[in-house]
Amino acid sequence: DMVDAYHRVEVEGLSDDEKLAICHKNFSRFGKDNVAHEQVVIALEKEDSHLPLYLLLFCSEASLLAVFEEIEMHMTAFPHTIAELWGDWILPRLENTYGEPIVKFVMQRLLASPKGMGVSDLKQMAEEAEELLSDTGASPGANVEELRDAIMPLQAYVAGDVIALASAKIRAGTMARYAPRAVEQKGMFFASQIIKATAEAEWRKTRNTPVEASK
């Protein structure tokens, strides 16, 4: 079954003590139990730090930093909002790991399917577009599974075989990177139509299939 329609829930901003507790819990989750207090405070100064999702993304990315003397510099450089941290920092990192074509391919289709897509369907579509997506040497289907595993701990809602971008802010960051024309649309339906048309045009190009003229 597809993911049920999302419900908007308004939550109060977190207190500084709650932010600190969430950060320490997230760092511990990602195997970083010895983060200095001064480094955690950097997260609290960010614009979206009142949102648990921002703190999750921040801690996840900070946990990947390896050079001690540059950690605080990189943390300070992290974007201040969820959309920017996701779209301008995390997605480029995923592109460097799995290849820009496969990340863009998956994200465009998740944008065009607000209720999510089955991982098996994404794998099949990726394997059929192998010429476009095989720049990393691994099979596109395997890359889809690895990409799913990479974004699951961050925010993607996964239910059984279905994966979806469940946060409006995450969707906004993804849209700004891979479907900028859709950002101008006020309605999600029309935005989804633009994203779907863009993805289908690229899909047809890989299969050398002519696009039928509009009737």
Side-chain angles (χ1 to χ4, degrees):
D1 294 337
M2 288 288 125
V3 180
D4 292 335
Y6 306 134
H7 299 281
R8 182 176 296 276
V9 178
E10 298 292 337
V11 296
E12 296 182 0
L14 300 169
S15 68
D16 285 348
D17 287 343
E18 290 171 330
K19 294 177 185 179
L20 283 171
I22 290 174
C23 284
H24 283 298
K25 182 176 181 179
N26 284 330
F27 276 122
S28 178
R29 171 185 177 186
F30 294 115
K32 300 290 184 179
D33 294 310
N34 58 344
V35 179
H37 177 76
E38 293 76 14
Q39 295 172 346
V40 177
V41 170
I42 295 174
L44 275 58
E45 297 173 345
K46 301 294 185 177
E47 179 182 338
D48 274 359
S49 65
H50 62 289
L51 300 172
L53 177 55
Y54 180 86
L55 299 177
L56 171 63
L57 297 179
F58 183 99
C59 295
S60 170
E61 291 306 294
S63 298
L64 298 175
L65 301 175
V67 183
F68 178 81
E69 59 269 22
E70 295 184 355
I71 287 181
E72 290 187 18
M73 179 185 71
H74 284 296
M75 285 181 171
T76 302
F78 284 174
H80 285 258
T81 67
I82 291 173
E84 292 172 344
L85 180 56
W86 177 263
D88 298 338
W89 194 284
I90 295 176
L91 289 179
R93 174 178 63 77
L94 294 174
E95 291 174 2
N96 288 336
T97 302
Y98 304 103
E100 188 268 348
I102 190 67
V103 177
K104 180 178 180 181
F105 181 90
V106 170
M107 292 299 163
Q108 281 185 332
R109 280 148 185 81
L110 293 180
L111 283 173
S113 306
K115 293 186 177 181
M117 286 192 68
V119 174
S120 57
D121 292 333
L122 283 169
K123 286 176 59 178
Q124 181 178 348
M125 294 173 69
E127 287 166 356
E128 291 177 358
E130 184 172 3
E131 291 184 8
L132 174 69
L133 305 175
S134 59
D135 64 334
T136 63
S139 73
N143 277 338
V144 168
E145 288 191 334
E146 292 180 5
L147 183 59
R148 173 202 59 190
D149 293 341
I151 65 176
M152 270 177 58
L154 302 181
Q155 83 81 41
Y157 182 94
V158 178
D161 187 49
V162 177
I163 184 171
L165 299 178
S167 162
K169 294 179 181 292
I170 291 289
R171 292 179 64 82
T174 307
M175 196 178 297
R177 186 167 186 83
Y178 298 126
R181 285 180 56 213
V183 176
E184 302 171 3
Q185 299 296 320
K186 295 182 179 180
M188 191 60 227
F189 171 78
F190 295 105
S192 295
Q193 293 299 101
I194 290 177
I195 297 165
K196 189 174 296 184
T198 301
E200 288 181 354
E202 294 179 359
W203 171 267
R204 291 176 182 274
K205 188 186 301 183
T206 64
R207 295 170 65 85
N208 296 318
T209 303
V211 179
E212 296 181 2
S214 300
K215 297 181 181 179

